[in-house]
Amino acid sequence: DVKVTQSSRYLVKRTGEKVFLECVQDMDHENMFWYRQDPGLGLRLIYFSYDVKMKEKGDIPEGYSVSREKKERFSLILESASTNQTSMYLCASSSPPLAGVVHNEQFFGPGTRLTVL
Amino acid sequence: KQEVTQIPAALSVPEGENLVLNCSFTDSAIYNLQWFRQDPGKGLTSLLLIQSSQREQTSGRLNASLDKSSGRSTLYIAASQPGDSATYLCAVRTSTNAGKSTFGDGTTLTVKP
């Protein structure tokens, strides 16, 4: 059974703290993604990575950085947490869109509900 | 830039009813379209994936169709049950945007016993 896991379901941090959110997938997927989900704003892409040590900015990268040292692990880093980063964070992985590859489903982790006080 | 719209935003139906959820997209050069289910406070669960060359996919009581020329996909749920209550999201992966998907805002479905 395919699986994407996230290090925490719930996290409470204080303003100014450095926060690490970890995501691990066991499907040998090249692509990994970090989204945040907020009421009324839907799912927004923060960063994604299409290979080890490769990363690309999504739609809202400000205030975040990422790390992909191993294929199965993709970390999201809040350098100095702020209250407007209180949100649900969702990690996902998928195989790349290659010709002849039938299944390119995107699989999601359970989410991390982060509250910044 | 791809835009994905889901209408209606919310839908309430009695148990047993057949229903259709809609997803529209502006750029027809898509690679695939994926339907997800999300329960409150949880992650997204993949329901169906339709490749751009396909017209429909079926899984149990769910049937998803794709019409690229009109920029539309529908998710048909047969004989709805209270356990189907959730938010349903569609996501479009475009050929020109390697690996990334654009999500709709979702339709929140309530099935009343």
Side-chain angles (χ1 to χ4, degrees):
Chain A
D1 196 18
V2 298
K3 192 169 282 187
V4 179
T5 57
Q6 295 183 227
S7 49
S8 306
R9 289 301 311 279
Y10 300 95
L11 210 52
V12 179
K13 295 292 182 181
R14 298 214 172 269
T15 302
E17 278 192 77
K18 191 169 186 176
V19 181
F20 293 86
L21 302 182
E22 305 283 343
C23 176
V24 177
Q25 51 95 4
D26 64 0
M27 295 164 281
D28 202 36
H29 283 164
E30 285 81 358
N31 295 340
M32 295 189 75
F33 309 84
W34 274 107
Y35 297 91
R36 65 177 282 178
Q37 186 177 33
D38 302 284
L41 297 176
L43 265 150
R44 295 179 291 169
L45 182 65
I46 305 171
Y47 266 98
F48 78 103
S49 168
Y50 50 89
D51 203 349
V52 176
K53 296 191 185 294
M54 306 300 286
K55 61 185 179 184
E56 244 187 74
K57 294 180 180 179
D59 301 317
I60 51 163
E62 296 79 20
Y64 303 93
S65 62
V66 291
S67 172
R68 184 109 181 257
E69 295 297 319
K70 293 184 178 181
K71 190 175 186 180
E72 67 271 18
R73 188 179 297 270
F74 191 36
S75 303
L76 180 70
I77 303 154
L78 286 66
E79 297 290 342
S80 177
S82 64
T83 55
N84 63 12
Q85 292 179 309
T86 292
S87 185
M88 170 69 108
Y89 289 87
L90 293 163
C91 174
S93 74
S94 74
S95 56
L98 298 173
V101 179
V102 175
H103 296 293
N104 307 118
E105 284 182 82
Q106 196 165 164
F107 295 93
F108 279 79
T112 295
R113 171 73 65 184
L114 172 67
T115 302
V116 182
L117 302 175
Chain B
K1 181 185 174 184
Q2 180 74 271
E3 293 182 4
V4 179
T5 304
Q6 292 186 247
I7 295 173
L11 183 63
S12 181
V13 300
E15 182 177 3
E17 194 161 295
N18 302 326
L19 60 101
V20 174
L21 306 180
N22 297 296
C23 173
S24 301
F25 47 92
T26 55
D27 184 351
S28 62
I30 71 169
Y31 186 78
N32 64 35
L33 185 146
Q34 193 168 357
W35 282 94
F36 294 90
R37 168 191 173 130
Q38 186 177 30
D39 295 292
K42 303 287 180 64
L44 278 66
T45 301
S46 178
L47 297 174
L48 288 165
L49 175 77
I50 311 178
Q51 302 291 346
S52 63
S53 59
Q54 298 175 321
R55 295 299 300 267
E56 64 178 332
Q57 281 286 330
T58 298
S59 176
R61 294 183 293 108
L62 305 179
N63 176 276
S65 69
L66 176 63
D67 184 345
K68 284 197 306 179
S69 61
S70 66
R72 293 186 62 188
S73 176
T74 60
L75 179 66
Y76 174 83
I77 303 177
S80 58
Q81 304 169 358
D84 295 330
S85 298
T87 296
Y88 292 81
L89 297 100
C90 67
V92 176
R93 181 186 284 192
T94 50
S95 307
T96 55
N97 213 1
K100 294 199 291 183
S101 296
T102 303
F103 285 79
D105 290 338
T107 295
T108 299
L109 172 66
T110 302
V111 181
K112 297 180 178 180

